[in-house]
Amino acid sequence: MEKIKSNGGEHVNPAYDATLDGPPVYNDNDEHRMVRPSVVSAFGHDTLDRVPNIDFYRNAGSVSGHRAVRPSLQELHDVFQKNGAISVPDTVADDCEGSDGTPSDDLESAVPVDSGKGAVKFGWIRGVLVRCMLNIWGVMLFIRLSWVFGQAGWGLGIVVIALSCVVTTITGLSMSAICTNGVVRGGGAYYLISRSLGPEFGGSIGLIFAFANAVAVAMYVVGFAETVVDLLKEYDVLMVDPLNDIRIIGVITVIVLLGISVAGMEWEAKAQIVLLFILLAAIVNVFVGTFIPPTEDKKSKGVFNYDVNIFLENFTPDFRGESFFSVFSIFFPAATGILAGANISGDLRDAQAAIPKGTLLAILITGITYLGVALCVSASVVRDATGNITDLITPGVPCDGSAVAACELGYNFSSCAVETCAFGAMNNFQVMTLVSGFGPLIIAGTFSATLSSALASLVSAPKVFQALCKDNIYKALHFFAKGHGKNDEPLRGYVLTFLISVAFILVGNLNTIAPIISNFFLASYALINFSCFHASYAKSPGWRPAYRYYNMWLSLLGAVLCCAVMFVINWWAALLTYAIEILLYIYVTVKKPDVNWGSSTQAVTFVSAVSNALSLTGIEDHVKNFRPQILVLTGGTRTRPALLDLAHSLSKNYGLCLTCEVYTGPRVEALPLMNASIEKNQQWLKKSKRKAFYAAVANEKFREGVEILLQASGLGRMKPNTLMIGFKRNWKTSGSEAVQSYVGVLHDAFDFEYGTVILRMNQGLDVSHIVEAEEEMLKSAKEQQALESDFMSNGGKSKGLFKKSRKSSQQVLTTRVSVCGPPPPQVAKMNEKLVEASALFKTKQPKGTLDVWWLFDDGGLTLLLPYILTTRKKWKDCQMRIFIAGQPGRSELDKQEMKSLLQKFRIKCTDIIVIDDIHIKPRNDSLKKLEDMIEPFRLHERTKDSAQVETMRKTQPWRVTDDELDEFEEKTNLQVRLNELLQEHSKSANLIVVSMPIARKETISDFLYMAWLDILSKDLPPTILIRGNHKSVLTFYS
């Protein structure tokens, strides 16, 4: 089907004609009338409507299928052309733009991997269960588990394992809820946290989590190398010395593991299966060994068959230089392997089903295994043994100490009470080798445990890091986002992980770094739990996890437990982890990555905003808390920059600023323009760091549109109280309707009790024609660049359709250049001055004065607004001067009264000037300017015959009558006289603020009022006319 787009990006019907309002006529013979069978069969007739389909809900460039665009509301609602064809697309092609704010380089929008190339995808067993079990079954199982239960006893030992399993299980439940609340892509823990809590949390934890996995490779490999070096020592075949042998074996091992990983996920998965079988054999070997009768040598080393007395003796704790928490801190890192499956989420066939099932089952199996092995050892191995087969029971020699149960079995290990013995659960880390049926298999199991964990970390780190880089949160790291091969393997990430691990093997102090790495993992667990709690707490309709067995408060408990365990393991490592995470969080927040994932943070922000707005409605306004909430009529956000900058300076971060636009004209034309501009204008405000909102209405008349804004803008107490508008410079030439509309807006503002502010600048405010010219030139440059790029890519030759399109585009470019060609010198100079003036309030103001002519008491708004300006950094060098009207002969008294009032208001000014000659009649030349100004709009009824006057009154009721001029002569003269005084006293001011005159409705004509405003502010520096709503905005009471 044909792909049809309008300028606004919506898909429109070519048969639509908005000028006709008849019902649509369907042409059965139209060859373009192609409809999906499901639509016809469902409704029995052809329709533009579409039945619900998954393709309509995909993101742009979705990796799991083609995105379709449903018919727009306009297509279904607007009127079709009579006797016209109706085109119904089967599916509308993806427009390649982000959906719902998803950036084009987001994981969801990544280029799909061609399934025909044989991409490897794992199920829940090989992909999650096996990996998690191998990562959780570490060297702890064979080397330190007996020591843990020897110190804590099997009573508290069970608590240690249970508490570890509680933390990991809660985390697993939270992770299950998050990953079943939508499609899960590659990135594991980073993906889950970032899509739930947003890029700030995700970006900070993703980087340290990837780094932790990279360093964990070094830790596991060194553990393997140390075991190998111990064997070399035993057989006296060291290569150099123990330290360098560990380095040599470690580097070789990492190279081999890297080779397996780079070979592909299939090879890595096969290696994991081999290691799993070895590990399972070693575990079974331990259980089997407990049933084999021990030799005399094993008995002397404290290993016996199952015995109730040994089991009871090992129940109570026997801490030797340790505590419960220190023992727990040593065991817990063994449980931190539950993310091994989630970390390769992009390589899972169905991550939503695999991660919950595989992770929780792995926690259950490994927990039972740890518990079973530990209890078997506790029932068959005493805490202390000498290893001397001659230490038997001798009559008359007392047998006591920590191994009383051994006495009943014929061995006397009492000497261990006074000197440290080398054997027993407390002293010998090779207990599992003694207990097992075949010792070398335990060594193989240790190798398997370390290598499988190292391999899992070596795969996890690059995968998580690649996902982080693809999101482009840290732009400097985007180099590592590139993938290779059928599985989009992060080869660059593998190399980086290899270099990090080798560096720590060669020079790192792993004993110091180990607790930091454990805390990095725990921080990830804490945020996963908090993500689940936060999403549940926000109660967003989009939070609908398929996995129901979770609880938000349980998730919060899990997050608190993880944070507590971090301090239990190592308090300084916990503080360091928090510090690094906070710094990364601040960095990402400052950089503001251009992504929108619909995080729960946004949902909670919305809920908080609604809650705060509602709480404000129950509080009555107080004059002390008054702040200007400004509705500023800028038009487009870029149209009148000086007006927007002034409003922003007044509201800043502490008040409401609404920049508003009225789209005038027929509704059918205005609405599409308005809908297309709303997001664009709001984004411009955000990028230009203007703390303001954009609002727009469509109406056939400007005044009616503004009236809607004045009445309906805001929310509860957060509603505008001040209207700011630019002065209408062209009022003399714009026609009576435009003037009546402008003055009507001022009348409406007073009716709705708004404070009113008018800004006038000699150069004008509207720069829309310059903005349009810039946009046209940019568009032309982009088209030219695209054409040249296409032309060069074809070797400088153009043929077929390309040749035709190039010619067409060249014509467009020529037209644009001719339209946007250089203006005449005079116009160019005017534009230059206009642009310079439009940036006046954007920059720091030079030293000068801010003159306030507070002539009428309007509640204090005329004084408050300039005071607010002086508190801003850009205006701090401007001194405020106050001008007031005074009576002749009492100027000093008036000045003292004003000074006293300002002191009570705590408003400082450099000078107070009393104008006592304000009542003097203006000069004749000044009056002549006013007369010339209003001459074209006068009725002159006294010099015309009555019939002509009556006709003009009916056809041109807006004209200024002679009677009106006589009646308001004094007020008119006052405006002229004020301009003379302003010229005299404030000509060099940076900004002038003057009380605005009010025109009584249906008494003073619109043109006379415009003449007042014009003559009052004519030929002056930037001038603000202000009139409050005559309600106090200042108070001197505490």
Side-chain angles (χ1 to χ4, degrees):
M1 293 296 293
E2 184 183 5
K3 302 174 186 176
I4 307 160
K5 293 185 183 180
S6 71
N7 292 336
E10 293 289 344
H11 300 274
V12 298
N13 195 299
Y16 165 65
D17 184 357
T19 60
L20 302 175
D21 57 359
V25 176
Y26 300 107
N27 183 358
D28 294 333
N29 298 322
D30 183 15
E31 61 180 0
H32 294 292
R33 186 123 175 89
M34 297 170 60
V35 187
R36 279 197 315 212
S38 59
V39 176
V40 177
S41 60
F43 302 109
H45 67 280
D46 294 346
T47 175
L48 271 175
D49 265 324
R50 288 278 157 260
V51 294
N53 187 277
I54 189 174
D55 291 339
F56 293 135
Y57 297 90
R58 299 190 189 280
N59 275 356
S62 172
V63 301
S64 52
H66 179 70
R67 177 194 178 203
V69 180
R70 65 181 63 81
S72 69
L73 186 61
Q74 284 71 28
E75 286 179 309
L76 299 175
H77 182 244
D78 287 345
V79 180
F80 284 90
Q81 184 177 1
K82 292 179 180 179
N83 301 319
I86 176 171
S87 174
V88 187
D90 181 23
T91 56
V92 187
D94 186 5
D95 55 8
C96 298
E97 293 178 1
S99 173
D100 302 325
T102 306
S104 60
D105 54 356
D106 176 26
L107 287 170
E108 173 61 22
S109 307
V111 178
V113 177
D114 188 356
S115 58
K117 294 180 181 178
V120 179
K121 295 290 181 182
F122 301 110
W124 71 274
I125 295 178
R126 287 180 68 191
V128 183
L129 179 65
V130 170
R131 291 174 185 280
C132 287
M133 288 195 304
L134 284 171
N135 230 23
I136 297 172
W137 282 332
V139 292
M140 176 66 67
L141 185 64
F142 301 113
I143 295 179
R144 300 298 291 272
L145 187 61
S146 58
W147 178 87
V148 168
F149 269 62
Q151 290 275 354
W154 62 265
L156 287 180
I158 292 174
V159 175
V160 168
I161 293 177
L163 186 56
S164 301
C165 288
V166 165
V167 173
T168 55
T169 301
I170 293 174
T171 305
L173 293 173
S174 299
M175 184 167 62
S176 300
I178 295 171
C179 71
T180 57
N181 190 55
V183 176
V184 178
R185 300 298 178 198
Y190 159 72
Y191 185 90
L192 298 178
I193 294 170
S194 62
R195 268 44 177 192
S196 183
L197 290 178
E200 294 84 6
F201 281 104
S204 58
I205 201 65
L207 198 59
I208 65 174
F209 185 70
F211 177 76
N213 273 285
V215 178
V217 175
M219 289 176 54
Y220 294 130
V221 168
V222 168
F224 167 77
E226 285 176 346
T227 309
V228 174
V229 169
D230 287 341
L231 289 176
L232 295 178
K233 281 183 187 176
E234 188 176 339
Y235 293 101
D236 195 23
V237 287
L238 288 174
M239 291 178 283
V240 186
D241 57 67
L243 180 59
N244 284 312
D245 280 12
I246 288 173
R247 290 171 175 168
I248 294 168
I249 295 169
V251 172
I252 293 172
T253 305
V254 172
I255 292 172
V256 173
L257 294 177
L258 179 66
I260 294 172
S261 303
V262 172
M265 290 298 294
E266 185 66 29
W267 281 94
E268 187 266 349
K270 289 176 181 177
Q272 293 280 29
I273 294 295
V274 172
L275 294 172
L276 175 65
F277 278 116
I278 296 172
L279 197 53
L280 288 173
I283 293 170
V284 171
N285 184 37
V286 172
F287 287 112
V288 170
T290 56
F291 291 99
I292 298 174
T295 62
E296 293 300 318
D297 181 62
K298 285 187 177 182
K299 287 181 179 180
S300 68
K301 294 177 180 177
V303 178
F304 300 90
N305 279 119
Y306 291 107
D307 186 88
V308 174
N309 292 326
I310 295 176
F311 191 58
L312 293 175
E313 184 180 80
N314 287 333
F315 172 74
T316 57
D318 184 15
F319 294 115
R320 301 177 188 176
E322 302 290 345
S323 65
F324 172 79
F325 291 111
S326 65
V327 171
F328 174 78
S329 69
I330 290 169
F331 173 81
F332 185 81
T336 58
I338 62 171
L339 295 179
N343 287 340
I344 62 159
S345 53
D347 296 297
L348 299 176
R349 195 176 299 118
D350 183 4
Q352 286 181 285
I355 292 175
K357 195 189 302 182
T359 303
L360 293 173
L361 189 57
I363 293 171
L364 177 64
I365 293 172
T366 52
I368 292 173
T369 304
Y370 271 115
L371 206 55
V373 170
L375 291 175
C376 287
V377 172
S378 296
S380 57
V381 181
V382 295
R383 280 192 169 103
D384 296 294
T386 60
N388 190 349
I389 59 174
T390 60
D391 286 340
L392 302 174
I393 293 294
T394 305
V397 178
C399 185
D400 53 16
S402 61
V404 176
C407 300
E408 298 178 7
L409 295 171
Y411 283 85
N412 187 350
F413 299 141
S414 303
S415 60
C416 294
V418 293
E419 60 182 25
T420 303
C421 293
F423 296 96
M426 294 284 280
N427 309 306
N428 185 13
F429 290 157
Q430 303 300 324
V431 166
M432 294 299 178
T433 306
L434 296 173
V435 172
S436 66
F438 182 61
L441 194 53
I442 296 299
I443 296 173
T446 305
F447 289 169
S448 174
T450 53
L451 292 176
S452 62
S453 297
L455 192 56
S457 297
L458 185 59
V459 170
S460 298
K463 295 279 185 183
V464 173
F465 193 57
Q466 182 188 34
L468 175 67
C469 296
K470 277 186 176 179
D471 285 342
N472 208 18
I473 292 176
Y474 302 99
K475 297 189 182 298
L477 301 177
H478 193 63
F479 171 79
F480 295 98
K482 184 174 175 58
H484 300 269
K486 58 188 180 183
N487 262 36
D488 196 34
E489 294 290 347
L491 296 185
R492 295 173 179 178
Y494 280 128
V495 173
L496 181 62
T497 304
F498 168 76
L499 294 175
I500 292 172
S501 58
V502 167
F504 276 94
I505 289 170
L506 295 178
V507 299
N509 186 346
L510 296 185
N511 290 332
T512 304
I513 206 78
I516 300 176
I517 302 308
S518 297
N519 274 319
F520 280 2
F521 286 123
L522 275 167
S524 304
Y525 296 174
L527 279 180
I528 288 173
N529 282 306
F530 185 72
S531 298
C532 183
F533 163 76
H534 204 254
S536 304
Y537 176 76
K539 299 194 185 313
S540 171
W543 173 248
R544 302 184 302 275
Y547 187 86
R548 309 299 301 173
Y549 304 103
Y550 74 95
N551 180 275
M552 60 182 283
W553 300 112
L554 194 63
S555 296
L556 181 61
L557 174 64
V560 172
L561 282 175
C562 288
C563 294
V565 170
M566 289 173 68
F567 281 96
V568 167
I569 290 177
N570 192 298
W571 66 268
W572 62 262
L575 292 177
L576 181 62
T577 303
Y578 287 136
I580 293 172
E581 191 172 337
I582 289 169
L583 287 173
L584 290 173
Y585 179 91
I586 292 171
Y587 173 83
V588 177
T589 304
V590 169
K591 288 295 181 182
K592 289 184 173 61
D594 188 19
V595 293
N596 181 8
W597 296 319
S599 66
S600 61
T601 306
Q602 296 171 346
V604 168
T605 302
F606 179 83
V607 171
S608 299
V610 172
S611 176
N612 291 334
L614 286 171
S615 66
L616 277 174
T617 58
I619 303 172
E620 191 174 342
D621 288 334
H622 195 282
V623 63
K624 284 198 298 184
N625 292 325
F626 175 87
R627 60 187 69 219
Q629 317 272 27
I630 301 174
L631 189 155
V632 51
L633 294 176
T634 59
T637 51
R638 299 178 63 191
T639 303
R640 294 171 177 84
L643 197 61
L644 176 59
D645 290 336
L646 180 63
H648 186 251
S649 295
L650 291 168
S651 63
K652 204 70 175 175
N653 302 328
Y654 315 107
L656 180 69
C657 181
L658 280 175
T659 170
C660 300
E661 183 170 12
V662 179
Y663 285 85
T664 56
R667 182 187 181 92
V668 72
E669 295 176 8
L671 274 177
L673 290 172
M674 184 186 76
N675 292 335
S677 72
I678 291 176
E679 187 64 26
K680 177 183 173 185
N681 280 288
Q682 191 61 54
Q683 287 301 318
W684 185 88
L685 288 171
K686 181 182 175 183
K687 286 181 180 177
S688 59
K689 297 182 180 178
R690 299 291 193 281
K691 300 295 187 350
F693 299 95
Y694 173 79
V697 294
N699 201 288
E700 291 194 1
K701 294 184 179 179
F702 175 75
R703 181 181 178 181
E704 290 177 2
V706 176
E707 188 177 355
I708 293 169
L709 288 168
L710 290 171
Q711 293 184 84
S713 295
L715 187 68
R717 299 284 182 192
M718 294 179 62
K719 104 181 243 96
N721 54 32
T722 305
L723 172 69
M724 183 177 286
I725 190 171
F727 178 73
K728 189 171 182 63
R729 293 173 72 231
N730 65 341
W731 67 274
K732 288 177 279 190
T733 58
S734 61
S736 61
E737 188 176 341
V739 171
Q740 288 171 335
S741 177
Y742 181 84
V743 175
V745 166
L746 300 179
H747 285 309
D748 292 338
F750 294 137
D751 285 343
F752 298 132
E753 296 189 341
Y754 273 68
T756 307
V757 179
I758 298 177
L759 172 64
R760 178 171 187 178
M761 300 178 73
N762 287 332
Q763 296 83 357
L765 298 169
D766 191 352
V767 297
S768 57
H769 59 290
I770 299 174
V771 172
E772 287 173 8
E774 282 181 2
E775 289 177 350
E776 285 293 321
M777 290 177 68
L778 282 172
K779 205 177 289 183
S780 301
K782 283 182 181 177
E783 286 190 11
Q784 184 66 44
Q785 190 176 0
L787 287 169
E788 289 175 356
S789 175
D790 289 343
F791 188 69
M792 295 306 294
S793 64
N794 282 342
K797 296 179 180 179
S798 52
K799 34 179 145 177
L801 292 173
F802 175 73
K803 185 175 181 181
K804 181 181 177 182
S805 66
R806 185 171 186 271
K807 181 179 178 183
S808 173
S809 295
Q810 286 287 6
Q811 290 174 351
V812 172
L813 283 173
T814 306
T815 306
R816 282 185 182 160
V817 170
S818 64
V819 171
C820 304
Q826 187 178 0
V827 176
K829 191 171 183 180
M830 288 175 60
N831 287 342
E832 188 179 341
K833 287 184 177 179
L834 178 58
V835 170
E836 185 180 344
S838 67
L840 180 65
F841 300 127
K842 197 179 296 182
T843 56
K844 192 174 186 299
Q845 299 298 307
K847 285 187 178 181
T849 62
L850 197 163
D851 289 355
V852 181
W853 291 69
W854 194 17
L855 305 175
F856 312 110
D857 194 325
D858 58 354
L861 189 68
T862 307
L863 182 62
L864 179 63
L865 293 187
Y867 165 74
I868 291 173
L869 281 180
T870 60
T871 64
R872 307 301 187 221
K873 193 180 294 184
K874 292 176 183 175
W875 293 84
K876 68 177 184 178
D877 292 334
C878 291
Q879 305 293 326
M880 190 161 69
R881 298 193 300 174
I882 308 293
F883 293 82
I884 59 172
Q887 297 178 18
R890 50 168 291 166
S891 299
E892 194 60 34
L893 183 61
D894 289 336
K895 182 175 182 178
Q896 289 302 319
E897 287 178 355
M898 178 55 64
K899 185 177 181 181
S900 174
L901 180 61
L902 292 176
Q903 285 176 343
K904 288 185 177 181
F905 285 149
R906 302 167 305 283
I907 293 177
K908 294 180 180 179
C909 66
T910 56
D911 198 5
I912 299 174
I913 296 97
V914 179
I915 307 296
D916 59 3
D917 57 350
I918 203 168
H919 60 282
I920 295 175
K921 187 177 180 180
R923 298 190 304 269
N924 291 332
D925 61 322
S926 300
L927 288 172
K928 182 70 167 57
K929 288 180 183 177
L930 177 68
E931 290 170 4
D932 293 342
M933 197 179 288
I934 62 174
E935 179 61 31
F937 313 106
R938 290 183 62 178
L939 181 60
H940 287 296
E941 71 270 25
R942 294 172 184 170
T943 59
K944 294 184 176 70
D945 60 80
S946 57
Q948 186 181 2
V949 169
E950 283 303 313
T951 303
M952 291 182 69
R953 283 186 190 275
K954 289 180 181 178
T955 57
Q956 299 174 344
W958 44 265
R959 287 195 173 271
V960 182
T961 65
D962 295 336
D963 292 338
E964 181 183 0
L965 286 175
D966 290 344
E967 184 179 354
F968 296 104
E969 181 182 4
E970 289 184 359
K971 202 164 186 178
T972 303
N973 289 345
L974 174 62
Q975 313 312 319
V976 180
R977 175 60 181 157
L978 280 173
N979 181 259
E980 291 179 348
L981 293 168
L982 287 164
Q983 297 280 357
E984 179 184 342
H985 294 280
S986 299
K987 187 69 174 177
S988 59
N990 287 7
L991 181 68
I992 299 173
V993 177
V994 60
S995 294
M996 182 170 70
I998 291 182
R1000 194 174 293 277
K1001 287 189 295 185
E1002 299 181 6
T1003 304
I1004 297 173
S1005 62
D1006 296 334
F1007 279 94
L1008 179 59
Y1009 186 48
M1010 285 303 300
W1012 286 1
L1013 299 179
D1014 195 344
I1015 198 67
L1016 173 62
S1017 56
K1018 191 176 180 62
D1019 299 327
L1020 292 171
T1023 302
I1024 304 176
L1025 305 176
I1026 299 179
R1027 173 65 72 152
N1029 63 0
H1030 286 247
K1031 293 180 180 178
S1032 294
V1033 298
L1034 293 170
T1035 181
F1036 44 78
Y1037 294 107
S1038 59

